[in-house]
Every structure is written in C-alpha cells, then in structure tokens.
Amino acid sequence: MNKPGSHTPLWEDCLTLIRKEVSASEYDLWFKDISEVSHVGNDLKLMVPTPLFAEHIEANYLDIIGPILHRVYGPDVQLHYLFNVVSKEPDTQVDVASTPRSKAVTTPAVANPFAPRPVGSVDPQLNPRFTFENYCVSSSNKNALIIAESLANDPQVKTFNPLFIFGDTGVGKTHLIQAIGIRLKERFPDMRVVYLTSRTFQSQFTTAHMRGETNQFFNFYQSIDTLIVDDIQDLNDKPKTQNMFYNIFNYLHLNNKQIVLSSDRAPADMKGFEARMLGRFKWGISVRLERPDLQLRRHILSQKAASEGIELPDDVMTYIANNVTDSIRDIEGVMTSIVARATFCNIPVSLELARNVVGNAIRTTRRSTEFDDVLREVCSYYNVEQSLVFTSSRKREISDARQMVMYLAKQLAKMSFKAIGQRLGRSHATVLYGCRQIEERIPYEKQLQEASDTITKTLLS
C-alpha cells in the first residue's frame, strides 16, 4: 500500500506519457493530483480527488490512458478509482472499478512489428476521434485539408508522395494525418495502414537491433500500404535509425506505397539529417499548417462547447479567441478548464471565469495580429476601401496600401509569403517583391515610415 499523494515509478511513467498526449492545462487539472494507492496482481487503484474526476476521465480520457496503462502495467490491468465521498474523511472512501473496454476496440499502445499476427492483419494505431468530420477548417488550414482528403479518398493517386505536413506545435498536424489513415481504413478495410511517432519507430528499431531482428523489422514495414509518421524531426542526429528509415522509405516509394510525414519545421529547416533523406522529404508536396486564425479559433470553441453540452456566451468566445492564439491544443485545454471550474463551483460560464482561467491555466501573451486586422487598419490609415486592395489597380495610394498589407502581415502576423499571397490573390514572388519595396523605401520616405509606425502601434495596442 502506497501513501496517498505519492508517485510510484510505474505511475510516474504513466504520467510522463499522459503529459505528452494532453495539453498542460488538462494535465494540471485532471491528472497531476492523481496518485497510485496500490498495484496488486492485475488491480491498479488510483486515488482521485472527487467522484467527478473518475466520471470525467472515464468519459473523456479513457482512450488515452487505457493504452498507456496496458503498456506500463500489462495488458490485463484493471483500473479502480478511489475517492472520499466526504472530503478528507478516509472512512467515507469508496472503490469504483473502471468500465470494462470492449476487446474489439481496445488496442495495445504500440504496434508491435515482432508479434506474430494473421496475414493481412495490422494494428493501425489510429485515434478514432481524429476524423475529417470533426476537423475544424479555415483559410489557415484549408489547403492542407483539401490535399489530405484527396489523398485519403483516392490512394491510387501518388501525386502527393510523400505528403509532408509541417507547422508549429499544437496546430492540428496529428489530427490531420491520422484523419487520412482513418478515412483509408473506412473505405479500404483491408489496407495495411500504420500510424506511429518517430520516437516509437526509434524505440522499435533499437529493440530489433538488440535482438538481432532487424530483418523482421524491415520486412514488417515493407508490408505497409500507407505509413504515417508523426514528428519526423525527432530522428535528427540518429544516423542508424535514419538509415533504416531511408531504406524503408525507398522501398515503399518504389512500390507505390503512400508515405505521410509531419514535422514542426519545413524540410529546408531541418538539421541533423543526411542530405539524401531531406531530398526524399521533398519528393512529393510540403504543406504548412499556419497558426489558427480567428475564424478557426471561434470554430474550435463552438465545436468544443457543443461536445461538452454547454452554451458559450459570445463575449466569452470572443475573449478566448482573441487571447489564446498560439495553438489548437491551448484552446481546447482552456475550454476543458472552464467547463471543469463551472462544474466544480456550480457557477455559469462567464467572462470573469474565462479571464481567470486564461490568466492562470496557460501562459498568455498579448493578442496576436491577424491578416484581417492588418487589412482593416492599413485601409483605414490610407482611407481606401478594403476591396480595392484585392484589385489590380496601380494607383499610388492603393498600391502603397496593398504593399503595406503584405509587409505588416509578414512582420506582425508572421504569415508566410505564400499564405499572404493566397489571401490577396497574388503569387509568392509578388508578395516577396512588395515586402522588399516597403523595406527599401522606409529608410528614405518619412511618410511611409510614419504610416508603418502608426499602423503598427495601433495593431499592437
């Protein structure tokens, strides 16, 4: 029997894995205060603060922690929740067993290339929540979604091979690449699809090497029809693993098998990889997922509120959308915290509650600048209609306004040249030229410098 509040090595391993699967705010709210009480035979007993924790984890996180518990404690582990009906009174403690999981949907935490399995059978390791149907879309991710769906709907087309999706942490890469796998399995049940992280690939290869089973490892991945690898950047500075992945990549590509990769940076920005590997990453198409724009953030909040069964007031949605701007994961974490606080304290969802959660649950910065903000303020300063910026007019005030939008969208909204061009209906080269024109003119044109400074100050205030 362990002292309540203590963390045993096995439970500590579980917490480490859980922390990688959920947002920081979700982890702090729902998992940090859970401790192992005992592990006897197959029975694992965890102390949770209140009955609500057990209910919420069962409803929302069991598909995450279930495979992790199986991986750490063994496939036959049975989870029990312990809690005091009356707070801080151990005499009121009760033991509630976790709901048994169907063998048809329960899967091990890691696809095992060494385990014997029937011909044609392979565990895809896909999260059933990550579908195209619940993937929120806006102009910041629309192109990536179109390409991903076209690939999943017609796997015979190998125009996008490999498909390389990159972007900052928490912008929806994992959801999108798993949605490809799920759609493929829905339409082609016999297709051999596997999703895994590069760290899992590294771990499996290391195990195979130690066992002298690299041939079995290679043969397993040769048999895959669609290989989906998340966080490929984590194979940097691992030459032996890279060499194995290089050979698997070559074999699959040569045999018209699909490869889907994700990374937190573009192939051109990746370090610690051999040139031949980076060259292959560029064989197909690379698509960037931008930070969620205002439209996408509001869509995510609406969807999350609907799934939680709550009504989110417009002022609360606006506040969260304007202040939690970096990642989808942060937005979902904040919503989870708001729902939990409202439930715990039996209070309505309000702007005051949102401010408290946003201020404490995550690290926030000033509101980010969006393309639409830049367009509005630039056109207001130059006193031109916004629609004129999208025309081909060469009038000086319209041309200056258009190039100023390009310049400030790059500087303040941190958009790529391609993304800016898509919003303005211009090519990458045109946007690059427009930004350079402003940069070169500002040191010599006082009025242009004043315009840039005034608009920037307004946007950042």
Side-chain angles (χ1 to χ4, degrees):
M1 184 74 68
N2 299 311
K3 182 180 178 181
S6 64
H7 288 170
T8 67
L10 290 180
W11 179 239
E12 193 66 49
D13 289 344
C14 287
L15 290 176
T16 299
L17 294 170
I18 291 169
R19 192 181 287 113
K20 295 178 180 179
E21 297 294 329
V22 300
S23 67
S25 57
E26 286 177 292
Y27 175 83
D28 288 342
L29 182 62
W30 295 110
F31 297 99
K32 185 175 69 174
D33 296 325
I34 298 177
S35 59
E36 178 184 316
V37 175
S38 67
H39 177 218
V40 179
N42 291 326
D43 290 332
L44 170 64
K45 296 187 177 183
L46 300 179
M47 176 63 74
V48 297
T50 69
L52 178 62
F53 274 72
E55 294 171 4
H56 190 80
I57 289 171
E58 281 284 294
N60 298 281
Y61 296 107
L62 201 57
D63 57 341
I64 293 177
I65 68 170
I68 291 174
L69 293 178
H70 291 159
R71 174 179 176 181
V72 175
Y73 287 93
D76 297 320
V77 65
Q78 176 61 48
L79 174 60
H80 294 254
Y81 303 98
L82 303 184
F83 53 83
N84 297 329
V85 176
V86 179
S87 180
K88 298 182 181 179
E89 292 191 16
D91 292 341
T92 66
Q93 186 177 103
V94 297
D95 180 335
V96 178
S98 173
T99 304
R101 303 289 281 178
S102 167
K103 296 294 184 181
V105 296
T106 301
T107 59
V110 181
N112 186 355
F114 315 115
R117 56 181 76 237
V119 176
S121 172
V122 62
D123 178 6
Q125 292 297 297
L126 297 165
N127 188 327
R129 297 179 302 167
F130 291 156
T131 66
F132 284 124
E133 287 71 23
N134 61 24
Y135 187 77
C136 296
V137 62
S138 77
S139 58
S140 66
N141 60 9
K142 184 177 180 179
N143 286 342
L145 177 62
I146 291 172
I147 292 171
E149 281 199 288
S150 65
L151 184 158
N153 290 335
D154 188 2
Q156 297 303 315
V157 177
K158 292 297 187 291
T159 307
F160 314 122
N161 198 19
L163 172 58
F164 193 101
I165 296 177
F166 66 98
D168 294 336
T169 299
V171 295
K173 300 186 297 294
T174 297
H175 188 148
L176 188 58
I177 63 176
Q178 289 210 39
I180 294 172
I182 289 174
R183 177 66 61 81
L184 287 170
K185 291 298 290 182
E186 288 173 346
R187 297 196 170 198
F188 311 95
D190 294 333
M191 179 174 285
R192 294 170 65 82
V193 178
V194 166
Y195 162 87
L196 76 166
T197 67
S198 65
R199 290 186 182 276
T200 299
F201 183 89
Q202 160 78 13
S203 176
Q204 290 179 351
F205 174 67
T206 300
T207 300
H209 184 70
M210 291 174 61
R211 293 179 179 178
E213 297 177 351
T214 53
N215 282 339
Q216 292 94 317
F217 179 85
F218 184 63
N219 290 338
F220 172 80
Y221 282 104
Q222 276 185 320
S223 73
I224 302 304
D225 297 314
T226 298
L227 179 61
I228 305 171
V229 184
D230 210 350
D231 293 325
I232 193 67
Q233 77 278 353
D234 289 337
L235 289 187
N236 66 317
D237 297 322
K238 298 178 177 67
K240 292 182 179 179
T241 308
Q242 282 185 36
N243 186 60
M244 173 57 75
F245 186 75
Y246 173 84
N247 287 308
I248 291 171
F249 183 107
N250 281 348
Y251 180 88
L252 294 178
H253 198 279
L254 183 64
N255 288 275
N256 287 320
K257 307 299 184 180
Q258 182 65 49
I259 303 162
V260 179
L261 307 172
S262 85
S263 172
D264 63 0
R265 66 206 71 178
D269 298 325
M270 297 176 74
K271 308 296 182 184
F273 284 83
E274 293 185 21
R276 62 176 186 167
M277 191 77 262
L278 292 177
R280 278 154 178 76
F281 290 165
K282 301 173 186 177
W283 273 359
I285 186 170
S286 297
V287 187
R288 181 185 183 93
L289 281 181
E290 303 286 349
R291 290 184 305 165
D293 58 18
L294 183 60
Q295 177 190 0
L296 180 56
R297 297 197 297 271
R298 291 183 68 91
H299 189 177
I300 293 166
L301 288 167
S302 296
Q303 185 185 81
K304 187 71 173 175
S307 68
E308 294 285 356
I310 67 167
E311 183 176 346
L312 192 65
D314 189 66
D315 60 342
V316 175
M317 180 183 293
T318 299
Y319 177 79
I320 299 172
N322 284 340
N323 288 277
V324 186
T325 61
D326 287 341
S327 77
I328 295 171
R329 193 172 298 150
D330 283 345
I331 296 169
E332 293 178 336
V334 164
M335 274 297 297
T336 299
S337 298
I338 288 174
V339 172
R341 297 274 185 93
T343 303
F344 273 126
C345 303
N346 193 27
I347 58 176
V349 175
S350 65
L351 185 57
E352 181 182 0
L353 175 61
R355 283 176 175 154
N356 183 267
V357 169
V358 171
N360 292 283
I362 65 169
R363 295 178 180 176
T364 57
T365 59
R366 61 170 173 79
R367 181 174 67 87
S368 68
T369 302
E370 304 289 348
F371 176 86
D372 291 338
D373 299 327
V374 173
L375 178 63
R376 181 186 65 251
E377 296 302 330
V378 169
C379 290
S380 175
Y381 182 89
Y382 282 98
N383 195 27
V384 300
E385 292 290 335
Q386 292 186 19
S387 59
L388 294 176
V389 172
F390 297 90
T391 68
S392 58
S393 172
R394 295 182 179 275
K395 289 184 179 180
R396 184 56 181 265
E397 65 272 17
I398 297 174
S399 177
D400 280 356
R402 184 185 302 118
Q403 291 185 345
M404 185 63 74
V405 168
M406 295 175 181
Y407 174 74
L408 293 180
K410 180 65 177 174
Q411 296 298 315
L412 302 181
K414 306 300 182 184
M415 296 173 66
S416 65
F417 293 123
K418 183 177 180 180
I420 297 169
Q422 289 171 343
R423 293 301 301 269
L424 290 172
R426 260 62 177 183
S427 68
H428 173 283
T430 300
V431 176
L432 177 61
Y433 173 79
C435 291
R436 286 180 176 173
Q437 281 290 297
I438 297 294
E439 289 175 349
E440 292 172 0
R441 290 171 55 196
I442 279 179
Y444 305 102
E445 298 183 27
K446 186 176 180 180
Q447 285 185 330
L448 192 65
Q449 186 176 30
E450 288 179 353
S452 175
D453 291 345
T454 301
I455 297 168
T456 298
K457 184 178 179 180
T458 301
L459 287 167
L460 297 182
S461 62

